């Protein structure tokens, strides 16, 4: 059996932390690694960032620590820490993290949009702020969201998430040809993006490219095997084709 590289990296971190328990940079990297690679380990992420703040009290880690607090349910405490850090030092990355927290953890889109606008005031050409503004706007105005994603891509032609989001919204807007092109670009930039794959499969199915759609449905399920929604969408696609669903 081929070892899982993520689990191998986890074991490396655990070994390194046992040997260097006072290394705050290592704790920060560990927290970032858990945040990127695992779901359902929010308390471990919070503990890692708390260790960072304890070992390096002169640095300002309130933004990442506040985000971790929100994710474990300490909402007002976490938001307060982020806002205090911003009040002391307004900066584009902190506003972007605040916007992301407000959207992804709390569904507070109007406040997230305001945070994005503040980020853009700090740095008008910061592509992440425009992408997040698109995410905060999409339910209210798909047209505006598409404009924001396009501008994020104009600022950074390799902004993978913006390509994915643009393709997704163009799909919902029934602009299938451009949606397919955008989603293929997203997959080119990140060959493991299961969401781009599933949106691409949907777009291909809408344009009658059924064999190609089938291939991308299967690729999406392989990329994210625990997402039952992908399997349900694929089953519905097969039923529509008159094929047997296993």
């Amino acid at each position: 059996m081929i070892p899982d590289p993520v689990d191998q990296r986890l074991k490396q971190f655990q070994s390194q932390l046992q040997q260097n328990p006072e290394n705050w940079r290592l704790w920060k990297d560990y927290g970032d690694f858990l945040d990127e690679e695992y779901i359902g380990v929010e308390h471990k992420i919070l503990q890692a960032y708390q260790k960072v703040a304890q070992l390096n009290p002169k640095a300002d880690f309130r933004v990442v620590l506040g985000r971790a607090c929100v994710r474990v349910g300490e909402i007002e405490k976490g938001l307060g820490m982020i806002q205090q850090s911003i009040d002391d030092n307004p900066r584009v990355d902190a506003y972007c993290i605040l916007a992301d927290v407000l959207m992804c953890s709390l569904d507070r889109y109007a406040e997230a949009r305001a945070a994005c606008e503040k980020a853009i005031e700090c740095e008008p050409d910061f592509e992440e702020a425009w992408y997040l503004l698109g995410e905060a706007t999409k339910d209210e105005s798909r047209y505006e969201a598409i404009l924001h994603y396009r501008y994020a891509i104009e600022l950074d032609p390799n902004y993978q998430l913006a390509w994915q989001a643009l393709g997704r919204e163009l799909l919902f807007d029934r602009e299938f040809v451009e949606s397919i092109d955008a989603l293929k670009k997203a997959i080119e930039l990140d060959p493991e993006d299961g969401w781009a794959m599933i949106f691409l499969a949907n777009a291909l199915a809408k344009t009658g490219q059924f064999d190609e759609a089938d291939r991308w449905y299967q690729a999406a399920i392989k990329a994210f095997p625990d997402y039952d929604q992908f399997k349900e969408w694929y089953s519905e696609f097969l039923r529509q084709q008159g094929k047997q669903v296993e």
Side-chain angles (χ1 to χ4, degrees):
M1 175 182 271
I2 300 174
D4 186 325
V6 175
D7 288 343
Q8 282 187 312
R9 187 70 180 120
L10 175 62
K11 291 177 182 177
Q12 289 175 354
F13 268 118
Q14 291 170 339
S15 176
Q16 290 169 346
L17 287 168
Q18 285 182 344
Q19 298 173 32
N20 302 282
E22 303 303 309
N23 186 328
W24 69 266
R25 295 183 189 277
L26 187 57
W27 281 104
K28 176 65 165 55
D29 290 343
Y30 176 58
D32 293 345
F33 164 76
L34 292 176
D35 191 21
E36 181 176 348
E37 299 291 350
Y38 289 93
I39 297 173
V41 295
E42 288 79 9
H43 282 90
K44 289 184 178 180
I45 295 169
L46 175 58
Q47 290 168 2
Y49 290 146
Q50 286 173 331
K51 193 71 175 178
V52 174
Q54 175 189 340
L55 294 171
N56 190 5
K58 293 183 179 180
D60 185 1
F61 291 107
R62 286 175 293 179
V63 170
V64 293
L65 191 55
R67 178 177 59 189
C69 285
V70 170
R71 290 177 176 173
V72 300
E74 299 177 14
I75 295 171
E76 295 309 318
K77 177 182 177 181
L79 290 178
M81 294 175 73
I82 297 171
Q83 191 60 58
Q84 288 167 9
S85 180
I86 290 173
D87 291 343
D88 291 341
N89 179 22
R91 58 204 187 278
V92 65
D93 60 314
Y95 277 119
C96 285
I97 289 175
L98 176 60
D100 184 65
V101 167
L102 287 166
M103 277 190 290
C104 296
S105 298
L106 304 174
D107 292 331
R108 289 158 63 168
Y109 284 87
E111 293 172 72
R113 179 169 182 162
C116 292
E117 291 168 348
K118 288 288 187 181
I120 291 167
E121 287 179 17
C122 290
E123 193 172 328
D125 292 337
F126 193 67
E127 62 273 15
E128 184 182 1
W130 287 100
Y131 161 72
L132 289 170
L133 183 57
E135 293 292 277
T137 306
K138 60 184 173 60
D139 291 340
E140 180 180 335
S141 172
R142 182 174 297 128
Y143 173 78
E144 284 188 30
I146 288 172
L147 291 179
H148 298 326
Y149 298 138
R150 290 191 193 281
Y151 191 56
I153 290 167
E154 182 179 332
L155 294 170
D156 180 2
N158 292 323
Y159 196 164
Q160 194 272 340
L161 283 176
W163 280 110
Q164 184 216 81
L166 176 62
R168 179 196 67 210
E169 295 307 312
L170 288 169
L171 168 61
F172 295 151
D173 215 27
R174 304 187 67 81
E175 297 289 343
F176 299 127
V177 174
E178 191 178 0
S179 170
I180 288 169
D181 289 341
L183 292 166
K184 285 183 175 179
K185 180 64 176 180
I187 295 168
E188 175 188 327
L189 292 169
D190 181 4
E192 297 182 358
D193 184 353
W195 281 105
M197 294 174 192
I198 203 73
F199 292 136
L200 177 58
N202 287 337
L204 290 165
K206 294 290 186 182
T207 56
Q209 300 177 65
F210 300 124
D211 290 343
E212 190 72 358
D214 191 292
R215 183 170 76 85
W216 284 110
Y217 275 118
Q218 293 190 51
I221 292 169
K222 183 178 179 180
F224 292 164
D226 295 330
Y227 283 23
D228 290 338
Q229 185 69 61
F230 285 12
K231 298 172 186 175
E232 292 176 12
W233 286 337
Y234 183 43
S235 295
E236 179 61 26
F237 166 77
L238 292 175
R239 280 192 289 269
Q240 290 176 354
Q241 303 310 305
K243 297 180 180 179
Q244 184 175 355
V245 179
E246 296 181 1

